[in-house]
Amino acid sequence: MGKNASSDGFRGSSLMLLFFFFSGIWTGLYGLVALVAHRRNHNPVSWYILAMFFTPIVALILLLLTGKENNNSEEYKF
């Protein structure tokens, strides 16, 4: 009986560790979307919000498909 209880605890802590690991990667993807948007002269806040409505991977693909904006001003267009 004791062996099953300890293996259940190990399984639970392993799943929790995996959850936090993948949550960190997923959160990092949101930052990557904002960084790529900024480097392509798009509004990073708008793209961050777009990534929250869809997924960061879809937003990143859309961002890469839109191309680079050629505006010289520092202001972002919404």
Side-chain angles (χ1 to χ4, degrees):
M1 251 184 170
K3 196 171 190 179
N4 289 338
S6 83
S7 67
D8 288 342
F10 179 72
R11 181 179 295 156
S13 62
S14 296
L15 289 175
M16 186 181 290
L17 184 63
L18 281 173
F19 173 76
F20 285 124
F21 177 74
F22 286 114
S23 294
I25 289 175
W26 200 252
T27 304
L29 287 174
Y30 286 115
L32 181 65
V33 168
L35 179 69
V36 171
H38 176 70
R39 289 189 179 178
R40 291 178 163 261
N41 295 328
H42 292 283
N43 187 345
V45 175
S46 297
W47 281 95
Y48 185 88
I49 292 170
L50 183 75
M52 292 179 84
F53 281 112
F54 296 107
T55 65
I57 297 169
V58 170
L60 191 59
I61 291 169
L62 289 173
L63 181 60
L64 294 174
L65 289 175
T66 59
K68 196 173 194 177
E69 282 196 15
N70 294 326
N71 58 356
N72 293 330
S73 68
E74 292 295 320
E75 296 294 319
Y76 296 110
K77 296 179 183 176
F78 285 97

